Amino acid sequence: MWMQLVGQDEYVRECGTKERQAPDLISISRRMADNSKLHIAMFPWLAFGHMIPYLELAKLIAQKGHKISFISTPRNIDRLPKLPPHIAPLINLVKLPLPRMHNLLEGAEATSEVPYDKVKYLKQAYDGLKEPLATFLETSRPDWILNDFLPFWLPEVASRLGISNAFFSIFIAAALSIIKPQHVVEYRTTPEDYAVPANWIPFPTTVAFRLFEVLKLFDHSISVEETHVTDMYRFEEVIKGCDLIAVRGSKEFAPEWMQLLEELHGKPVLPVGFLPTTEYDDGEETETWRSVKEWLDKQEKGKVVYVAFGSEAKPSQDELTEIALGLELSGLPFFWVLKKRRGLEDTEPIELPDGFEERTKGRGIVCITWAPQLKILGHDSVGGFLTHSGWSSVVEALQNQRALILLTFLADQGLNARVLEENRIAYSIPRNHAHGSFTRDSVAESLRLVIAEEEGKFYRDKAKEMSSLFGDRDRQDRYVDNLLGYLQSHVKQLKS
């Protein structure tokens, strides 16, 4: 059996004598296994909602013994979560300095540090990483590079260097459905065109932007600007030039969208699982978590509203006021992680209504610094999550059986919300579809419905049901195995 595995000539060369057979055969086996291991480069966009799922996938791949080169800017690399010691040697954190832009403050390297209207300059700086990245790829020669939707120039670089490239989308398959297929002439010219499902979707669906959602995106992401390349163009070029589309999701959840993507773009599409967030626990409890846990321990089980809108979303002052007064009217205990400004260049910080914190003292906490979201969602006192619908937050909530109340702000959040609504997994706060306004009363009523009232028990039960899918580690492991099998097979074909 061993001779069949390694070949007789190789067996003789390596072993020499029968006395050395056992240890040498083991050595050969290990070496062959090492030869089958991949070197995969990863290049996410400069947003933590992108970098963290990329890092989760990197950790899962490294656990299988493969080497990862995780590429980002120095400041972002330094702020990534700590890696578990047993896989840290396999994940090389590669720092490429971000080119200076006169429109950005020095040190602004992530979307969370830049006002929304200046993110386009961060994209231009990111494009400036083309040559340093090409140099790294040329010297390190990975088998694959998994890249985000922003670097429209990367497929050409990878092809020139003979490196296979996959578009790893942190956006779910349904959200990717709005990207125009190559063979379709673009017919959408106004925001209203994007407020209905694309005409190439062959099945009934409600997945489309609300008008107020697409209006926020139109100038910066969809319509043509002289100052930068649009996001839609970036998506289209990355999809056109990739060898594989890897999508955050699973075949068990909305499989029709995965199939549609493959049909639309003529590319293999592989789900990589939901990538539920994991934290390395070194056994030390931080002071922040101790104080948060102490407060949560005093609350009634399943009645606390956890409120957080991610690292990028910042409500307007009017929206903030209605959210705050809605929380107050609900009568429910709450823990609110509030982002008042997007970086030092944000000249319009938002403020809580006068007297709000005093009136809700003891019943609610407003945290304006970082908070351990995964630990908070895992606490028994939390009954629901008022969230922006960012997919990482959705996965973290559902893996912990927390009911979802949705309030979208930007990017793909509206499309995520439609998918969740369509599958009756979450409840969206009612708002005007044209301009997005909502009231404190609708906030209060929505929170009470989902967290406290009998009528909303459906959403609480649905969250418990979904936890078996969104938090299934064994299923996640199988998806990673499937992805690696494809990547290895592709490399083998190229070398044969």
Side-chain angles (χ1 to χ4, degrees), residues 10 38 57 96 122-123 127 145 163 173 208 216 223 231-232 234 267 280 286 329 333 356 415 460 463 474 490:
E10 183 174 356
L38 298 171
L57 182 57
L96 297 184
L122 192 63
K123 293 173 184 175
D127 289 338
I145 180 164
I163 299 169
K216 290 183 179 180
S223 64
D231 287 354
M232 294 297 280
R234 292 175 185 274
K267 305 266 183 176
Y280 168 59
T286 65
L329 281 172
F356 169 77
L415 301 176
R460 301 191 291 274
D474 290 335
H490 184 84

Side-chain angles (χ1 to χ4, degrees), residues 214-230:
V214 75
L215 285 171
K216 290 183 179 180
L217 287 170
F218 203 72
D219 288 341
H220 297 287
S221 301
I222 298 173
S223 64
V224 176
E225 280 194 354
E226 294 180 0
T227 56
H228 73 296
V229 178
T230 68

Side-chain angles (χ1 to χ4, degrees), residues 264-390:
L264 289 176
H265 299 294
K267 305 266 183 176
V269 174
L270 287 181
V272 300
F274 291 111
L275 303 175
T277 308
T278 57
E279 290 183 326
Y280 168 59
D281 186 1
D282 58 6
E284 293 186 11
E285 196 174 78
T286 65
E287 182 61 37
T288 300
W289 172 235
R290 276 197 295 270
S291 60
V292 172
K293 184 177 183 298
E294 183 180 345
W295 183 83
L296 290 171
D297 286 344
K298 296 175 183 177
Q299 309 307 312
E300 186 180 351
K301 183 178 179 179
K303 288 296 185 285
V304 173
V305 186
Y306 175 59
V307 186
F309 302 121
S311 60
E312 294 185 47
K314 189 190 85 171
S316 68
Q317 184 60 60
D318 286 344
E319 289 170 336
L320 176 71
T321 298
E322 295 305 311
I323 294 167
L325 297 180
L327 282 167
E328 185 177 348
L329 281 172
S330 74
L332 294 166
F334 63 87
F335 189 97
W336 186 359
V337 181
L338 175 60
K339 188 178 184 67
K340 289 189 173 184
R341 64 192 303 172
R342 286 180 56 148
L344 297 176
E345 289 188 281
D346 189 346
T347 58
E348 299 179 353
I350 50 179
E351 299 296 339
L352 291 165
D354 289 342
F356 169 77
E357 289 182 276
E358 184 62 32
R359 293 192 302 272
T360 58
K361 189 174 182 180
R363 177 164 69 84
I365 289 180
V366 178
C367 173
I368 59 172
T369 59
W370 176 86
Q373 178 163 295
L374 202 59
K375 284 185 169 68
I376 293 171
L377 286 170
H379 197 282
D380 285 344
S381 69
V382 175
F385 185 11
L386 175 54
T387 173
H388 58 314
S389 307

